[in-house]
Amino acid sequence: MPWRLEIVQDEEALGKAAARIIAEQVRAQPDSVLALPTGRTPLCVYRELTTMDQRGELDLRRVRFFHLDEFYPMAMDSPASFQAFLWREFLSQVSIDRANVHFLNGLAEDTTAECRRYEERIVAVGGLDLVVLGIGVNGHIAFNEPGSPVDSRTRLVTLCRESRAASAYLFASAEEVPHQGLTMGIGTIMEGQRILLIAVGERKARAVSQSLGHSLTPSLPASFLRQHPDLTVILDQEAASLLKKI
Ligand code: GLP
């Protein structure tokens, strides 16, 4: 198994383990380029990083941040946007330089141009150093739904029913969840120097065991990550509960 697997007791331990890896990256390279996810899973990581920042144990001021994905269409100031989520749950709590934060514009009229702009921006800062990812219940990463090609780039995609249902908590009703999203592609993600995949809870156990234990297949986008030369997977006991001996 060329990738590393760490199984921890619970969500709190996962937050600490993932934050430790991110902090090590930032201490080694203070202007690191990080790609960050939204979702309930990374909240424990953001809490831990915030604590480290407030205690003066971590300096994020030179770090460059890229968001993985966004709903489309979506106003950036809507509380349901991923952009608002990341500011609310993390970026506004820590000392960073706002000029170092990059988002996909969920209201871009020309989505092809917007996605090209994002890819060019990533290249302009020297590429992604560490990509932090959650996993969808259907094995998606960012908004790369089942069927996404391994070499896909940042683009407009159609969201699956499961993914829309899983995001309903951000909206007043499930019907309000947009049907599309903008997302870094699997190819974009795979070009990152390091990848950290995190999953918590029984809800993710099936997607985790299939993505890590079965063959590489576009029907499980997360399975492609196993081809990456520097992948770390951190799971809590529940998310790891269906993993057979790998
Ligand atoms: C959304 C996001 C993903 C995230 C996934 C899981 O679909 N686009 O980046 O990994 O949700 O979210 P959660 O952590 O809430 O299960």
Side-chain angles (χ1 to χ4, degrees), residues 36-42 68-71 82 133-137 140-143 145 163 166-167 169 183 198 200 203-204:
L36 296 181
T38 20
R40 286 163 285 194
T41 313
L68 285 169
D69 50 10
E70 182 58 276
F71 292 113
F82 282 172
L133 293 168
I135 182 170
V137 286
H140 78 209
I141 46 173
F143 270 149
E145 300 284 25
S163 304
S167 291
Y169 72 99
T183 184
I198 52 175
V200 174
R203 207 165 61 88
K204 299 293 174 68

Side-chain angles (χ1 to χ4, degrees), residues 38-53:
T38 20
R40 286 163 285 194
T41 313
L43 292 178
C44 56
V45 185
Y46 296 149
R47 273 197 299 273
E48 192 61 29
L49 289 173
T50 302
T51 304
M52 286 179 168
D53 178 80

Side-chain angles (χ1 to χ4, degrees), residues 37-178:
T38 20
R40 286 163 285 194
T41 313
L43 292 178
C44 56
V45 185
Y46 296 149
R47 273 197 299 273
E48 192 61 29
L49 289 173
T50 302
T51 304
M52 286 179 168
D53 178 80
Q54 287 168 355
R55 285 189 191 143
E57 295 165 4
L58 185 63
D59 185 351
L60 296 165
R61 284 173 300 179
R62 290 177 58 204
V63 173
R64 278 80 59 83
F65 300 93
F66 280 80
H67 202 213
L68 285 169
D69 50 10
E70 182 58 276
F71 292 113
Y72 187 85
M74 175 56 70
M76 24 190 135
D77 55 357
S78 160
S81 73
F82 282 172
Q83 178 164 168
F85 182 99
L86 206 62
W87 278 108
R88 189 168 62 235
E89 302 295 344
F90 180 46
L91 297 175
S92 65
Q93 319 275 334
V94 288
S95 300
I96 51 150
D97 181 347
R98 293 180 85 93
N100 287 339
V101 183
H102 305 279
F103 287 97
L104 282 156
N105 177 6
L107 284 185
E109 278 181 30
D110 182 345
T111 54
T112 306
E114 172 61 7
C115 293
R116 194 181 320 117
R117 179 196 67 82
Y118 210 56
E119 290 270 346
E120 286 169 0
R121 185 127 297 260
I122 293 170
V123 171
V125 298
L128 304 171
D129 293 307
L130 174 62
V131 182
V132 184
L133 293 168
I135 182 170
V137 286
N138 60 2
H140 78 209
I141 46 173
F143 270 149
N144 292 284
E145 300 284 25
S148 298
V150 67
D151 58 356
S152 49
R153 311 303 306 184
T154 304
R155 68 203 186 289
L156 179 68
V157 294
T158 299
L159 306 182
C160 291
R161 194 174 37 81
E162 295 104 308
S163 304
R164 291 185 64 237
S167 291
Y169 72 99
L170 291 166
F171 296 82
S173 72
E175 294 73 53
E176 284 178 39
V177 183

Side-chain angles (χ1 to χ4, degrees), residues 1-5 128-131 150 186-196 216 222-233:
M1 184 169 80
W3 44 279
R4 290 170 295 278
L5 173 63
L128 304 171
D129 293 307
L130 174 62
V131 182
V150 67
I186 300 180
T188 320
I189 290 168
M190 292 289 278
E191 283 170 13
Q193 294 296 314
R194 303 171 71 193
I195 296 183
L196 173 59
L216 305 185
S223 68
F224 288 131
L225 299 175
R226 284 150 51 204
Q227 288 179 313
H228 192 278
D230 192 342
L231 168 68
T232 302
V233 180

